[in-house]
Amino acid sequence: ELENQLVAKSKTLDELKQSLASNGSAEQTPEAQSLRIAELCEMKDSIVNQVAQLKASMESILEQWRAYDEIYAEVSLMTTRYLYCLDQCKPSEEEASLEALKKQVKTLQ
């Protein structure tokens, strides 16, 4: 998206340069035109630098999200394994009832 904006700004800058070259020549001195073009070029360079900084920042953030995704997948797998083990280790209702009956019988004896 930012690259598209940069391309649009560059096109606008080129159009302004052409417009100044064709229309502004009678109204402005060449020195004034040169100053305006230099100013526009500085603005374009500033935008290019901002886009480069933003790209670097976004790459860093993207790398952090990748690490998060990897860790999340690992934790999710461990949680699933843990829940499976809990499910396998828990006695069924029949066994629990049988154990309860055995204890009752033992107590009664």
Side-chain angles (χ1 to χ4, degrees):
E1 182 180 327
L2 290 173
E3 289 179 3
N4 292 339
Q5 289 178 0
L6 180 61
V7 169
K9 298 278 184 188
S10 294
K11 287 180 183 177
T12 304
L13 180 62
D14 292 338
E15 290 171 5
L16 285 173
K17 284 180 184 179
Q18 290 175 356
S19 175
L20 284 174
S22 62
N23 297 335
S25 58
E27 300 171 7
Q28 295 182 355
T29 64
E31 293 83 16
Q33 288 179 357
S34 295
L35 289 174
R36 180 67 181 147
I37 289 173
E39 181 182 311
L40 292 172
C41 287
E42 285 178 23
M43 291 169 62
K44 177 186 168 196
D45 291 341
S46 173
I47 291 171
V48 168
N49 288 336
Q50 289 175 3
V51 168
Q53 290 174 353
L54 187 58
K55 274 186 178 181
S57 175
M58 293 302 290
E59 287 174 4
S60 171
I61 291 169
L62 185 60
E63 188 60 36
Q64 290 174 359
W65 274 108
R66 283 187 190 122
Y68 169 82
D69 285 341
E70 289 174 11
I71 292 170
Y72 179 82
E74 212 174 298
V75 168
S76 179
L77 179 63
M78 292 169 74
T79 302
T80 303
R81 287 179 179 166
Y82 173 76
L83 291 173
Y84 177 78
C85 287
L86 280 179
D87 189 50
Q88 295 300 314
C89 294
K90 137 173 102 168
S92 67
E93 291 180 22
E94 292 176 8
E95 291 174 354
S97 298
L98 182 59
E99 290 295 318
L101 288 174
K102 285 181 182 179
K103 286 182 183 180
Q104 284 180 342
V105 168
K106 192 173 185 178
T107 304
L108 290 173
Q109 287 176 350

